[in-house]
């Protein structure tokens, strides 16, 4: 599915991934977030907007089959509740804090501020170096994605899809909502992948972003 405001051409839409970790806690793989059919069918959104027109920065062979509609997501980040993000609640009763103590959150509602925080750190470093803020991000993201090839500042997501099927029913394993599969480069399941912020900072400086 797609939803507003992510489908606005002036917003950076963040999809969801999961992480497979090595015993030394390093990232071994990063598939598209999709909990079905094992759990309640949650996953990252993606596809074509029914209302938004394709923006100027989405051009090239990969986008020609999009019926001139806005495609989302642009990038992705960790969103799955497992492993998710650990929070310590000191004020139970609030959002995501049913009781005091440790709890887990996830979803693209977590992936989006994670990505925004990374961009804020990049802008902070740019300011220290006398460079301007990045501003509207999408044209730079797509420019770097199209021109840098294997040197793109993204962790490309090439595993999984966001096809949904109901969990714990006789229909397990049969996708009831089909959309998008992860591919090399840009795809409608994960965008360009997750931003590798140190590489992104260097690439943005080289291209005058």
């Amino acid at each position: 599915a797609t939803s507003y405001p992510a489908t606005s051409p002036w917003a950076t839409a963040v999809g969801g991934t999961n992480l497979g970790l090595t015993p030394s806690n390093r990232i071994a793989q990063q598939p598209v977030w999709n909990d079905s059919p094992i759990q309640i069918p949650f996953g990252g959104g993606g596809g074509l907007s029914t209302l938004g027109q394709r923006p100027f920065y989405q051009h090239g062979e990969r986008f020609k089959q999009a019926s001139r509609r806005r495609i989302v997501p642009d990038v992705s980040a960790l969103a799955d509740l497992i492993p998710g993000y650990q929070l310590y609640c000191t004020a139970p009763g609030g959002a995501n804090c049913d009781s005091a103590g440790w709890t887990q959150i996830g979803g693209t509602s977590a992936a989006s501020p994670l990505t925004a925080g990374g961009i804020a750190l990049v802008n902070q470093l740019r300011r220290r170096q006398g460079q301007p803020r990045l501003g509207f991000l999408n044209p730079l993201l797509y420019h770097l994605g199209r021109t840098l090839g294997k040197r793109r500042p993204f962790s490309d997501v090439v595993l999984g899809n966001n096809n949904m099927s109901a969990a714990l029913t006789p229909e397990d394993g049969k996708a009831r909502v089909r959309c998008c599969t992860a591919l090399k480069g840009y795809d409608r399941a994960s965008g360009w992948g997750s931003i590798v912020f140190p590489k992104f900072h260097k690439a943005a400086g080289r291209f005058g972003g």
Side-chain angles (χ1 to χ4, degrees), residues 2 62 74 77 148 160:
T2 65
R62 188 58 62 92
D74 300 306
L148 291 187

Side-chain angles (χ1 to χ4, degrees), residues 15-81:
T17 68
N18 196 349
L19 295 179
L21 302 176
T22 68
S24 60
N25 209 35
R26 294 183 178 275
I27 297 174
Q29 60 181 7
Q30 186 175 199
V32 175
W33 173 34
N34 187 343
D35 289 338
S36 72
I38 306 302
Q39 304 175 46
I40 296 173
F42 292 134
L48 299 178
S49 170
T50 58
L51 299 176
Q53 295 296 306
R54 184 171 53 178
F56 66 92
Y57 48 81
Q58 288 188 326
H59 64 80
E61 290 296 324
R62 188 58 62 92
F63 305 98
K64 283 186 176 179
Q65 300 176 357
S67 302
R68 303 203 61 79
R69 295 295 183 182
R70 165 76 161 118
I71 311 172
V72 294
D74 300 306
V75 292
S76 294
L78 175 63
D80 202 323
L81 277 163

Side-chain angles (χ1 to χ4, degrees), residues 104-123:
Q104 271 177 293
I105 65 167
T108 50
S109 298
S112 295
L114 174 72
T115 301
I119 296 300
L121 292 174
V122 170
N123 277 329

Side-chain angles (χ1 to χ4, degrees), residues 183-207:
L183 305 167
K184 289 184 179 181
Y186 183 89
D187 58 71
R188 303 179 195 180
S190 64
W192 290 107
S194 60
I195 301 175
V196 182
F197 289 101
K199 292 182 179 180
F200 179 76
H201 168 68
K202 293 180 181 179
R206 286 198 303 268
F207 282 83

Side-chain angles (χ1 to χ4, degrees), residues 8 13 22 36 39 66 98 116 129-130 138 151 161 164 194:
S8 167
T22 68
S36 72
Q39 304 175 46
D98 295 330
Q129 297 173 341
N138 291 4
R151 296 182 295 116
N161 58 59
M164 291 282 103
S194 60

